[in-house]
Amino acid sequence: MSAAKLVYKANQIATFFQSQSPDEAASGVATHINKFWDPRMRRQLAEILRQEDSGLKPLVVEAAKDIHFPENAA
């Protein structure tokens, strides 16, 4: 999947959860990504998060601490 498409999808998830309290929203984003994204997508997201201008919404960046990235994505 292209990086742009992955960023778009992650930002859509963040938009859905942004109406919740900040803690619940970040947890919701992380839970959704952990549950529905395969390891390749999570690995690619880890790479995107390392970029200075990733295009990801702050809520996705906040949720990253609770996302289960594959071992070799660190």
Side-chain angles (χ1 to χ4, degrees):
M1 178 178 304
S2 74
K5 179 104 174 172
L6 199 80
V7 168
Y8 177 78
K9 287 180 172 289
N11 286 339
Q12 277 187 310
I13 295 165
T15 298
F16 177 81
F17 285 102
Q18 74 185 8
S19 64
Q20 297 181 2
S21 73
D23 289 340
E24 289 176 345
S27 176
V29 171
T31 298
H32 181 90
I33 289 173
N34 288 331
K35 193 172 188 179
F36 297 107
W37 286 25
D38 68 39
R40 292 171 296 172
M41 293 171 73
R42 287 183 276 127
R43 184 178 301 113
Q44 189 175 5
L45 180 60
E47 293 169 9
I48 293 168
L49 281 161
R50 286 193 285 271
Q51 298 172 10
E52 189 171 318
D53 185 22
S54 66
L56 292 165
K57 290 186 174 198
L59 185 53
V60 178
V61 175
E62 174 65 22
K65 66 180 175 15
D66 294 320
I67 295 173
H68 303 142
F69 294 108
E71 289 293 323
N72 55 358

Short mmCIF file of all heavy atoms in Angstrom, two decimals:
data_model
loop_
_atom_site.label_atom_id
_atom_site.label_comp_id
_atom_site.label_asym_id
_atom_site.label_seq_id
_atom_site.Cartn_x
_atom_site.Cartn_y
_atom_site.Cartn_z
N MET A 1 0.85 -1.17 0.00
CA MET A 1 0.00 0.00 0.00
C MET A 1 0.90 1.24 0.00
O MET A 1 1.93 1.26 0.67
CB MET A 1 -0.89 -0.03 1.25
CG MET A 1 -1.79 1.16 1.38
SD MET A 1 -2.89 1.11 2.82
CE MET A 1 -3.72 -0.41 2.60
N SER A 2 0.49 2.26 -0.71
CA SER A 2 1.31 3.47 -0.76
C SER A 2 1.28 4.15 0.61
O SER A 2 0.30 4.03 1.37
CB SER A 2 0.79 4.43 -1.83
OG SER A 2 -0.40 5.06 -1.41
N ALA A 3 2.34 4.89 0.90
CA ALA A 3 2.42 5.60 2.17
C ALA A 3 1.28 6.63 2.28
O ALA A 3 0.69 6.78 3.35
CB ALA A 3 3.77 6.29 2.29
N ALA A 4 0.96 7.28 1.17
CA ALA A 4 -0.11 8.28 1.19
C ALA A 4 -1.44 7.65 1.57
O ALA A 4 -2.22 8.22 2.34
CB ALA A 4 -0.20 8.98 -0.16
N LYS A 5 -1.71 6.47 1.04
CA LYS A 5 -2.97 5.77 1.34
C LYS A 5 -3.01 5.34 2.81
O LYS A 5 -4.04 5.43 3.47
CB LYS A 5 -3.11 4.55 0.42
CG LYS A 5 -4.34 3.75 0.64
CD LYS A 5 -5.35 4.01 -0.42
CE LYS A 5 -6.52 3.08 -0.24
NZ LYS A 5 -7.60 3.39 -1.10
N LEU A 6 -1.88 4.88 3.32
CA LEU A 6 -1.81 4.45 4.71
C LEU A 6 -2.03 5.65 5.65
O LEU A 6 -2.78 5.54 6.63
CB LEU A 6 -0.47 3.79 4.99
CG LEU A 6 -0.44 2.92 6.23
CD1 LEU A 6 -1.06 1.57 5.93
CD2 LEU A 6 0.98 2.74 6.71
N VAL A 7 -1.42 6.78 5.34
CA VAL A 7 -1.61 8.00 6.13
C VAL A 7 -3.08 8.41 6.09
O VAL A 7 -3.66 8.76 7.11
CB VAL A 7 -0.68 9.13 5.63
CG1 VAL A 7 -1.08 10.48 6.23
CG2 VAL A 7 0.78 8.82 5.95
N TYR A 8 -3.67 8.35 4.91
CA TYR A 8 -5.09 8.69 4.76
C TYR A 8 -5.95 7.81 5.65
O TYR A 8 -6.83 8.30 6.36
CB TYR A 8 -5.48 8.56 3.29
CG TYR A 8 -6.95 8.83 3.02
CD1 TYR A 8 -7.44 10.12 2.97
CD2 TYR A 8 -7.83 7.78 2.84
CE1 TYR A 8 -8.79 10.37 2.74
CE2 TYR A 8 -9.18 8.00 2.60
CZ TYR A 8 -9.65 9.31 2.55
OH TYR A 8 -10.98 9.54 2.32
N LYS A 9 -5.70 6.52 5.62
CA LYS A 9 -6.49 5.58 6.42
C LYS A 9 -6.31 5.84 7.92
O LYS A 9 -7.28 5.85 8.68
CB LYS A 9 -6.11 4.14 6.10
CG LYS A 9 -6.61 3.66 4.75
CD LYS A 9 -6.16 2.21 4.53
CE LYS A 9 -6.80 1.61 3.32
NZ LYS A 9 -8.22 1.34 3.49
N ALA A 10 -5.08 6.04 8.35
CA ALA A 10 -4.81 6.32 9.77
C ALA A 10 -5.50 7.61 10.20
O ALA A 10 -6.09 7.68 11.28
CB ALA A 10 -3.31 6.39 10.02
N ASN A 11 -5.44 8.62 9.35
CA ASN A 11 -6.09 9.89 9.69
C ASN A 11 -7.60 9.76 9.71
O ASN A 11 -8.27 10.43 10.51
CB ASN A 11 -5.64 10.99 8.72
CG ASN A 11 -4.23 11.45 8.99
OD1 ASN A 11 -3.69 11.26 10.08
ND2 ASN A 11 -3.61 12.06 8.01
N GLN A 12 -8.17 8.91 8.88
CA GLN A 12 -9.62 8.67 8.92
C GLN A 12 -10.02 8.05 10.26
O GLN A 12 -11.04 8.42 10.84
CB GLN A 12 -10.03 7.71 7.80
CG GLN A 12 -10.23 8.35 6.46
CD GLN A 12 -10.82 7.35 5.47
OE1 GLN A 12 -10.31 6.24 5.33
NE2 GLN A 12 -11.88 7.75 4.81
N ILE A 13 -9.22 7.12 10.73
CA ILE A 13 -9.49 6.48 12.03
C ILE A 13 -9.43 7.54 13.13
O ILE A 13 -10.29 7.60 14.01
CB ILE A 13 -8.50 5.33 12.30
CG1 ILE A 13 -8.70 4.22 11.27
CG2 ILE A 13 -8.65 4.79 13.72
CD1 ILE A 13 -7.57 3.22 11.21
N ALA A 14 -8.42 8.40 13.07
CA ALA A 14 -8.28 9.47 14.07
C ALA A 14 -9.48 10.41 14.03
O ALA A 14 -9.99 10.82 15.08
CB ALA A 14 -6.98 10.24 13.84
N THR A 15 -9.95 10.74 12.85
CA THR A 15 -11.12 11.61 12.72
C THR A 15 -12.33 10.98 13.39
O THR A 15 -13.10 11.66 14.08
CB THR A 15 -11.41 11.91 11.23
OG1 THR A 15 -10.28 12.62 10.69
CG2 THR A 15 -12.66 12.75 11.06
N PHE A 16 -12.50 9.69 13.20
CA PHE A 16 -13.63 8.99 13.80
C PHE A 16 -13.59 9.08 15.34
O PHE A 16 -14.61 9.30 15.98
CB PHE A 16 -13.64 7.52 13.36
CG PHE A 16 -14.74 6.72 14.00
CD1 PHE A 16 -16.02 6.76 13.50
CD2 PHE A 16 -14.48 5.93 15.11
CE1 PHE A 16 -17.06 6.02 14.09
CE2 PHE A 16 -15.50 5.19 15.70
CZ PHE A 16 -16.79 5.24 15.20
N PHE A 17 -12.41 8.91 15.92
CA PHE A 17 -12.28 8.86 17.37
C PHE A 17 -12.08 10.22 18.04
O PHE A 17 -12.14 10.32 19.26
CB PHE A 17 -11.14 7.92 17.77
CG PHE A 17 -11.47 6.47 17.62
CD1 PHE A 17 -10.99 5.74 16.55
CD2 PHE A 17 -12.26 5.82 18.56
CE1 PHE A 17 -11.30 4.39 16.40
CE2 PHE A 17 -12.57 4.47 18.43
CZ PHE A 17 -12.09 3.76 17.34
N GLN A 18 -11.86 11.28 17.28
CA GLN A 18 -11.49 12.56 17.88
C GLN A 18 -12.59 13.20 18.75
O GLN A 18 -12.29 14.06 19.57
CB GLN A 18 -11.02 13.55 16.82
CG GLN A 18 -12.10 14.13 15.96
CD GLN A 18 -11.52 15.00 14.85
OE1 GLN A 18 -10.31 15.05 14.66
NE2 GLN A 18 -12.38 15.69 14.15
N SER A 19 -13.82 12.75 18.62
CA SER A 19 -14.90 13.32 19.44
C SER A 19 -14.90 12.75 20.86
O SER A 19 -15.59 13.27 21.73
CB SER A 19 -16.26 13.08 18.79
OG SER A 19 -16.54 11.70 18.73
N GLN A 20 -14.12 11.73 21.10
CA GLN A 20 -14.02 11.14 22.44
C GLN A 20 -12.99 11.92 23.26
O GLN A 20 -12.26 12.75 22.74
CB GLN A 20 -13.63 9.68 22.34
CG GLN A 20 -14.65 8.84 21.61
CD GLN A 20 -14.25 7.37 21.54
OE1 GLN A 20 -13.23 6.97 22.07
NE2 GLN A 20 -15.07 6.58 20.89
N SER A 21 -12.93 11.64 24.55
CA SER A 21 -11.92 12.28 25.38
C SER A 21 -10.54 11.92 24.83
O SER A 21 -10.38 10.87 24.20
CB SER A 21 -12.05 11.81 26.84
OG SER A 21 -11.59 10.48 26.98
N PRO A 22 -9.54 12.76 25.07
CA PRO A 22 -8.21 12.50 24.49
C PRO A 22 -7.64 11.11 24.78
O PRO A 22 -7.11 10.45 23.90
CB PRO A 22 -7.33 13.60 25.09
CG PRO A 22 -8.29 14.71 25.36
CD PRO A 22 -9.58 14.04 25.76
N ASP A 23 -7.77 10.66 26.03
CA ASP A 23 -7.25 9.33 26.38
C ASP A 23 -8.02 8.22 25.67
O ASP A 23 -7.43 7.27 25.16
CB ASP A 23 -7.30 9.09 27.89
CG ASP A 23 -6.28 9.92 28.64
OD1 ASP A 23 -5.30 10.38 28.01
OD2 ASP A 23 -6.46 10.12 29.85
N GLU A 24 -9.33 8.34 25.63
CA GLU A 24 -10.15 7.32 24.96
C GLU A 24 -9.91 7.35 23.46
O GLU A 24 -9.93 6.31 22.81
CB GLU A 24 -11.63 7.55 25.27
CG GLU A 24 -12.02 7.22 26.68
CD GLU A 24 -13.47 7.55 26.98
OE1 GLU A 24 -14.11 8.27 26.18
OE2 GLU A 24 -13.97 7.07 28.00
N ALA A 25 -9.72 8.54 22.91
CA ALA A 25 -9.51 8.66 21.47
C ALA A 25 -8.21 7.97 21.05
O ALA A 25 -8.19 7.18 20.10
CB ALA A 25 -9.51 10.13 21.05
N ALA A 26 -7.12 8.27 21.75
CA ALA A 26 -5.83 7.65 21.41
C ALA A 26 -5.91 6.14 21.58
O ALA A 26 -5.41 5.38 20.73
CB ALA A 26 -4.72 8.24 22.28
N SER A 27 -6.54 5.69 22.64
CA SER A 27 -6.69 4.26 22.87
C SER A 27 -7.54 3.62 21.77
O SER A 27 -7.24 2.52 21.31
CB SER A 27 -7.34 4.03 24.24
OG SER A 27 -7.58 2.67 24.44
N GLY A 28 -8.59 4.31 21.35
CA GLY A 28 -9.45 3.79 20.29
C GLY A 28 -8.71 3.65 18.97
O GLY A 28 -8.88 2.64 18.27
N VAL A 29 -7.89 4.64 18.65
CA VAL A 29 -7.10 4.57 17.41
C VAL A 29 -6.15 3.38 17.48
O VAL A 29 -6.05 2.58 16.55
CB VAL A 29 -6.34 5.89 17.16
CG1 VAL A 29 -5.34 5.74 16.02
CG2 VAL A 29 -7.31 7.03 16.88
N ALA A 30 -5.42 3.28 18.59
CA ALA A 30 -4.45 2.19 18.74
C ALA A 30 -5.15 0.82 18.69
O ALA A 30 -4.67 -0.10 18.02
CB ALA A 30 -3.68 2.34 20.04
N THR A 31 -6.26 0.70 19.39
CA THR A 31 -6.99 -0.57 19.41
C THR A 31 -7.44 -0.95 18.00
O THR A 31 -7.30 -2.11 17.59
CB THR A 31 -8.19 -0.49 20.36
OG1 THR A 31 -7.70 -0.24 21.69
CG2 THR A 31 -9.01 -1.76 20.34
N HIS A 32 -7.98 0.01 17.27
CA HIS A 32 -8.45 -0.27 15.92
C HIS A 32 -7.28 -0.73 15.02
O HIS A 32 -7.41 -1.74 14.31
CB HIS A 32 -9.11 0.97 15.31
CG HIS A 32 -9.62 0.73 13.93
ND1 HIS A 32 -10.90 0.28 13.71
CD2 HIS A 32 -9.03 0.84 12.71
CE1 HIS A 32 -11.08 0.13 12.39
NE2 HIS A 32 -9.95 0.47 11.78
N ILE A 33 -6.19 -0.02 15.08
CA ILE A 33 -5.03 -0.38 14.24
C ILE A 33 -4.48 -1.74 14.65
O ILE A 33 -4.17 -2.58 13.80
CB ILE A 33 -3.96 0.73 14.29
CG1 ILE A 33 -4.49 1.96 13.52
CG2 ILE A 33 -2.63 0.25 13.71
CD1 ILE A 33 -3.63 3.20 13.61
N ASN A 34 -4.37 -1.99 15.94
CA ASN A 34 -3.88 -3.30 16.41
C ASN A 34 -4.78 -4.44 15.97
O ASN A 34 -4.32 -5.53 15.64
CB ASN A 34 -3.74 -3.31 17.93
CG ASN A 34 -2.57 -2.47 18.41
OD1 ASN A 34 -1.57 -2.32 17.72
ND2 ASN A 34 -2.72 -1.92 19.59
N LYS A 35 -6.08 -4.19 15.97
CA LYS A 35 -7.04 -5.24 15.68
C LYS A 35 -7.21 -5.51 14.18
O LYS A 35 -7.36 -6.66 13.77
CB LYS A 35 -8.39 -4.84 16.28
CG LYS A 35 -9.41 -5.92 16.33
CD LYS A 35 -10.63 -5.45 17.13
CE LYS A 35 -11.58 -6.58 17.37
NZ LYS A 35 -12.74 -6.16 18.16
N PHE A 36 -7.17 -4.46 13.37
CA PHE A 36 -7.54 -4.61 11.97
C PHE A 36 -6.41 -4.43 10.96
O PHE A 36 -6.59 -4.76 9.79
CB PHE A 36 -8.68 -3.65 11.62
CG PHE A 36 -9.93 -3.93 12.38
CD1 PHE A 36 -10.34 -3.09 13.41
CD2 PHE A 36 -10.69 -5.06 12.12
CE1 PHE A 36 -11.50 -3.34 14.13
CE2 PHE A 36 -11.84 -5.33 12.84
CZ PHE A 36 -12.25 -4.47 13.84
N TRP A 37 -5.27 -3.92 11.36
CA TRP A 37 -4.16 -3.73 10.42
C TRP A 37 -3.19 -4.90 10.54
O TRP A 37 -2.80 -5.29 11.65
CB TRP A 37 -3.43 -2.43 10.69
CG TRP A 37 -4.18 -1.21 10.27
CD1 TRP A 37 -5.52 -1.06 10.12
CD2 TRP A 37 -3.60 0.05 9.95
NE1 TRP A 37 -5.82 0.21 9.74
CE2 TRP A 37 -4.66 0.93 9.61
CE3 TRP A 37 -2.31 0.54 9.91
CZ2 TRP A 37 -4.45 2.25 9.24
CZ3 TRP A 37 -2.09 1.85 9.55
CH2 TRP A 37 -3.16 2.69 9.20
N ASP A 38 -2.77 -5.43 9.42
CA ASP A 38 -1.83 -6.54 9.46
C ASP A 38 -0.42 -6.01 9.80
O ASP A 38 -0.17 -4.80 9.75
CB ASP A 38 -1.86 -7.35 8.16
CG ASP A 38 -1.33 -6.61 6.95
OD1 ASP A 38 -0.33 -5.87 7.06
OD2 ASP A 38 -1.90 -6.79 5.87
N PRO A 39 0.50 -6.91 10.14
CA PRO A 39 1.84 -6.48 10.55
C PRO A 39 2.55 -5.63 9.49
O PRO A 39 3.28 -4.70 9.85
CB PRO A 39 2.58 -7.79 10.79
CG PRO A 39 1.50 -8.75 11.18
CD PRO A 39 0.32 -8.36 10.34
N ARG A 40 2.32 -5.91 8.23
CA ARG A 40 2.98 -5.11 7.19
C ARG A 40 2.52 -3.66 7.24
O ARG A 40 3.33 -2.74 7.09
CB ARG A 40 2.71 -5.68 5.80
CG ARG A 40 3.36 -7.03 5.55
CD ARG A 40 2.88 -7.62 4.27
NE ARG A 40 1.43 -7.87 4.43
CZ ARG A 40 0.62 -8.25 3.49
NH1 ARG A 40 1.07 -8.43 2.26
NH2 ARG A 40 -0.66 -8.48 3.72
N MET A 41 1.23 -3.46 7.46
CA MET A 41 0.71 -2.09 7.54
C MET A 41 1.24 -1.38 8.78
O MET A 41 1.62 -0.20 8.72
CB MET A 41 -0.83 -2.12 7.56
CG MET A 41 -1.44 -2.59 6.27
SD MET A 41 -3.22 -2.88 6.41
CE MET A 41 -3.83 -1.20 6.50
N ARG A 42 1.31 -2.09 9.90
CA ARG A 42 1.83 -1.48 11.12
C ARG A 42 3.32 -1.20 11.00
O ARG A 42 3.82 -0.19 11.50
CB ARG A 42 1.53 -2.38 12.33
CG ARG A 42 0.05 -2.31 12.70
CD ARG A 42 -0.31 -3.12 13.92
NE ARG A 42 -0.53 -4.51 13.50
CZ ARG A 42 0.05 -5.56 14.02
NH1 ARG A 42 0.90 -5.44 15.02
NH2 ARG A 42 -0.21 -6.77 13.56
N ARG A 43 4.04 -2.06 10.30
CA ARG A 43 5.47 -1.82 10.05
C ARG A 43 5.66 -0.56 9.21
O ARG A 43 6.50 0.28 9.50
CB ARG A 43 6.09 -3.03 9.35
CG ARG A 43 7.60 -2.92 9.14
CD ARG A 43 8.18 -4.17 8.49
NE ARG A 43 7.92 -5.36 9.30
CZ ARG A 43 7.12 -6.37 8.95
NH1 ARG A 43 6.49 -6.37 7.79
NH2 ARG A 43 6.95 -7.39 9.75
N GLN A 44 4.84 -0.43 8.18
CA GLN A 44 4.92 0.75 7.32
C GLN A 44 4.54 2.01 8.10
O GLN A 44 5.17 3.07 7.93
CB GLN A 44 4.02 0.58 6.10
CG GLN A 44 4.20 1.65 5.06
CD GLN A 44 3.39 1.38 3.80
OE1 GLN A 44 2.61 0.43 3.73
NE2 GLN A 44 3.57 2.22 2.80
N LEU A 45 3.55 1.92 8.97
CA LEU A 45 3.17 3.06 9.79
C LEU A 45 4.33 3.47 10.70
O LEU A 45 4.58 4.67 10.88
CB LEU A 45 1.93 2.72 10.63
CG LEU A 45 1.43 3.83 11.55
CD1 LEU A 45 1.04 5.08 10.76
CD2 LEU A 45 0.26 3.32 12.39
N ALA A 46 5.05 2.51 11.25
CA ALA A 46 6.21 2.83 12.09
C ALA A 46 7.25 3.61 11.30
O ALA A 46 7.83 4.58 11.80
CB ALA A 46 6.83 1.54 12.65
N GLU A 47 7.46 3.23 10.06
CA GLU A 47 8.41 3.95 9.20
C GLU A 47 7.93 5.37 8.94
O GLU A 47 8.71 6.32 8.96
CB GLU A 47 8.60 3.21 7.88
CG GLU A 47 9.29 1.87 8.03
CD GLU A 47 9.24 1.01 6.77
OE1 GLU A 47 8.82 1.52 5.71
OE2 GLU A 47 9.60 -0.17 6.85
N ILE A 48 6.65 5.53 8.69
CA ILE A 48 6.08 6.86 8.44
C ILE A 48 6.19 7.74 9.68
O ILE A 48 6.50 8.93 9.59
CB ILE A 48 4.62 6.73 7.96
CG1 ILE A 48 4.57 6.07 6.59
CG2 ILE A 48 3.92 8.08 7.94
CD1 ILE A 48 3.20 5.61 6.13
N LEU A 49 5.96 7.16 10.85
CA LEU A 49 6.05 7.92 12.09
C LEU A 49 7.45 8.47 12.34
O LEU A 49 7.60 9.49 13.02
CB LEU A 49 5.62 7.04 13.27
CG LEU A 49 4.12 6.86 13.45
CD1 LEU A 49 3.82 5.65 14.30
CD2 LEU A 49 3.51 8.12 14.05
N ARG A 50 8.46 7.85 11.80
CA ARG A 50 9.84 8.32 11.97
C ARG A 50 10.14 9.54 11.11
O ARG A 50 11.13 10.22 11.34
CB ARG A 50 10.83 7.20 11.67
CG ARG A 50 10.89 6.15 12.77
CD ARG A 50 12.09 5.24 12.60
NE ARG A 50 11.91 4.27 11.54
CZ ARG A 50 11.36 3.08 11.68
NH1 ARG A 50 10.90 2.71 12.86
NH2 ARG A 50 11.25 2.24 10.67
N GLN A 51 9.31 9.83 10.14
CA GLN A 51 9.52 10.99 9.27
C GLN A 51 9.10 12.26 10.00
O GLN A 51 8.10 12.28 10.71
CB GLN A 51 8.72 10.84 7.98
CG GLN A 51 9.11 9.65 7.16
CD GLN A 51 8.17 9.42 5.99
OE1 GLN A 51 7.33 10.25 5.69
NE2 GLN A 51 8.31 8.28 5.35
N GLU A 52 9.84 13.32 9.76
CA GLU A 52 9.56 14.59 10.43
C GLU A 52 8.19 15.14 10.02
O GLU A 52 7.42 15.59 10.86
CB GLU A 52 10.65 15.61 10.11
CG GLU A 52 10.53 16.87 10.92
CD GLU A 52 11.72 17.76 10.75
OE1 GLU A 52 12.85 17.25 10.73
OE2 GLU A 52 11.52 18.97 10.63
N ASP A 53 7.88 15.12 8.74
CA ASP A 53 6.60 15.62 8.26
C ASP A 53 5.81 14.44 7.70
O ASP A 53 5.69 14.27 6.50
CB ASP A 53 6.81 16.70 7.19
CG ASP A 53 5.50 17.34 6.76
OD1 ASP A 53 4.52 17.28 7.52
OD2 ASP A 53 5.46 17.87 5.64
N SER A 54 5.25 13.65 8.60
CA SER A 54 4.59 12.40 8.21
C SER A 54 3.21 12.62 7.60
O SER A 54 2.71 11.76 6.88
CB SER A 54 4.46 11.48 9.42
OG SER A 54 3.57 12.06 10.37
N GLY A 55 2.59 13.73 7.92
CA GLY A 55 1.23 13.98 7.46
C GLY A 55 0.18 13.33 8.34
O GLY A 55 -1.01 13.44 8.07
N LEU A 56 0.62 12.68 9.40
CA LEU A 56 -0.31 12.03 10.32
C LEU A 56 -0.88 13.04 11.31
O LEU A 56 -0.18 13.95 11.76
CB LEU A 56 0.39 10.92 11.10
CG LEU A 56 0.81 9.71 10.27
CD1 LEU A 56 1.79 8.85 11.06
CD2 LEU A 56 -0.40 8.90 9.85
N LYS A 57 -2.15 12.87 11.64
CA LYS A 57 -2.78 13.73 12.64
C LYS A 57 -2.13 13.48 14.00
O LYS A 57 -1.67 12.36 14.29
CB LYS A 57 -4.28 13.43 12.71
CG LYS A 57 -5.03 13.88 11.49
CD LYS A 57 -6.52 13.71 11.68
CE LYS A 57 -7.23 14.31 10.48
NZ LYS A 57 -8.63 14.57 10.74
N PRO A 58 -2.10 14.51 14.85
CA PRO A 58 -1.50 14.34 16.19
C PRO A 58 -2.10 13.18 16.97
O PRO A 58 -1.39 12.53 17.75
CB PRO A 58 -1.78 15.68 16.87
CG PRO A 58 -1.88 16.66 15.74
CD PRO A 58 -2.51 15.89 14.60
N LEU A 59 -3.36 12.89 16.78
CA LEU A 59 -3.99 11.78 17.50
C LEU A 59 -3.38 10.43 17.10
O LEU A 59 -3.21 9.55 17.94
CB LEU A 59 -5.50 11.77 17.25
CG LEU A 59 -6.33 10.75 18.03
CD1 LEU A 59 -6.05 10.83 19.53
CD2 LEU A 59 -7.80 10.95 17.75
N VAL A 60 -3.01 10.28 15.85
CA VAL A 60 -2.34 9.04 15.41
C VAL A 60 -0.97 8.95 16.06
O VAL A 60 -0.56 7.89 16.54
CB VAL A 60 -2.21 8.98 13.87
CG1 VAL A 60 -1.48 7.71 13.45
CG2 VAL A 60 -3.58 9.07 13.21
N VAL A 61 -0.26 10.07 16.10
CA VAL A 61 1.06 10.10 16.73
C VAL A 61 0.95 9.75 18.21
O VAL A 61 1.74 8.97 18.74
CB VAL A 61 1.74 11.47 16.51
CG1 VAL A 61 3.06 11.56 17.26
CG2 VAL A 61 1.93 11.75 15.02
N GLU A 62 -0.06 10.31 18.87
CA GLU A 62 -0.29 10.00 20.29
C GLU A 62 -0.61 8.52 20.49
O GLU A 62 -0.15 7.88 21.43
CB GLU A 62 -1.43 10.87 20.83
CG GLU A 62 -1.86 10.55 22.24
CD GLU A 62 -0.81 10.83 23.30
OE1 GLU A 62 0.09 11.64 23.06
OE2 GLU A 62 -0.89 10.21 24.37
N ALA A 63 -1.41 7.96 19.60
CA ALA A 63 -1.81 6.56 19.72
C ALA A 63 -0.64 5.61 19.48
O ALA A 63 -0.68 4.46 19.94
CB ALA A 63 -2.92 6.25 18.72
N ALA A 64 0.39 6.06 18.81
CA ALA A 64 1.52 5.19 18.45
C ALA A 64 2.14 4.49 19.65
O ALA A 64 2.63 3.37 19.53
CB ALA A 64 2.58 5.99 17.69
N LYS A 65 2.06 5.12 20.81
CA LYS A 65 2.67 4.50 22.00
C LYS A 65 1.97 3.20 22.39
O LYS A 65 2.56 2.36 23.07
CB LYS A 65 2.68 5.48 23.17
CG LYS A 65 1.33 5.87 23.72
CD LYS A 65 1.46 6.85 24.87
CE LYS A 65 0.18 7.38 25.41
NZ LYS A 65 -1.07 6.76 25.13
N ASP A 66 0.74 3.02 21.93
CA ASP A 66 -0.02 1.82 22.27
C ASP A 66 -0.23 0.88 21.07
O ASP A 66 -0.94 -0.12 21.19
CB ASP A 66 -1.38 2.20 22.84
CG ASP A 66 -1.25 2.92 24.18
OD1 ASP A 66 -0.39 2.51 24.99
OD2 ASP A 66 -2.00 3.89 24.41
N ILE A 67 0.37 1.21 19.95
CA ILE A 67 0.25 0.35 18.77
C ILE A 67 1.31 -0.75 18.86
O ILE A 67 2.46 -0.48 19.22
CB ILE A 67 0.39 1.17 17.47
CG1 ILE A 67 -0.78 2.14 17.35
CG2 ILE A 67 0.46 0.23 16.25
CD1 ILE A 67 -0.67 3.11 16.19
N HIS A 68 0.91 -1.95 18.55
CA HIS A 68 1.85 -3.09 18.60
C HIS A 68 2.55 -3.21 17.25
O HIS A 68 2.04 -3.82 16.33
CB HIS A 68 1.10 -4.38 18.92
CG HIS A 68 0.34 -4.32 20.20
ND1 HIS A 68 -0.89 -4.89 20.36
CD2 HIS A 68 0.62 -3.73 21.39
CE1 HIS A 68 -1.32 -4.66 21.58
NE2 HIS A 68 -0.43 -3.96 22.21
N PHE A 69 3.72 -2.61 17.19
CA PHE A 69 4.50 -2.68 15.95
C PHE A 69 5.29 -3.99 15.92
O PHE A 69 5.73 -4.48 16.96
CB PHE A 69 5.47 -1.48 15.87
CG PHE A 69 4.76 -0.17 15.75
CD1 PHE A 69 4.73 0.72 16.81
CD2 PHE A 69 4.13 0.17 14.57
CE1 PHE A 69 4.07 1.94 16.69
CE2 PHE A 69 3.46 1.39 14.44
CZ PHE A 69 3.43 2.26 15.50
N PRO A 70 5.46 -4.57 14.72
CA PRO A 70 6.27 -5.79 14.61
C PRO A 70 7.69 -5.54 15.14
O PRO A 70 8.20 -4.42 15.08
CB PRO A 70 6.28 -6.06 13.11
CG PRO A 70 5.08 -5.36 12.58
CD PRO A 70 4.91 -4.15 13.45
N GLU A 71 8.30 -6.57 15.65
CA GLU A 71 9.64 -6.46 16.25
C GLU A 71 10.64 -5.73 15.38
O GLU A 71 11.39 -4.91 15.85
CB GLU A 71 10.18 -7.86 16.59
CG GLU A 71 9.46 -8.52 17.73
CD GLU A 71 9.70 -7.85 19.06
OE1 GLU A 71 10.82 -7.37 19.31
OE2 GLU A 71 8.75 -7.78 19.85
N ASN A 72 10.67 -6.05 14.11
CA ASN A 72 11.68 -5.45 13.22
C ASN A 72 11.28 -4.07 12.72
O ASN A 72 11.92 -3.54 11.83
CB ASN A 72 12.01 -6.39 12.05
CG ASN A 72 10.77 -6.77 11.28
OD1 ASN A 72 9.67 -6.37 11.62
ND2 ASN A 72 10.96 -7.54 10.22
N ALA A 73 10.24 -3.46 13.28
CA ALA A 73 9.81 -2.13 12.86
C ALA A 73 10.43 -1.03 13.72
O ALA A 73 10.36 0.12 13.39
CB ALA A 73 8.29 -2.01 12.93
N ALA A 74 11.05 -1.40 14.82
CA ALA A 74 11.58 -0.41 15.74
C ALA A 74 12.82 0.27 15.23
O ALA A 74 13.46 -0.03 14.33
CB ALA A 74 11.88 -1.05 17.08
#
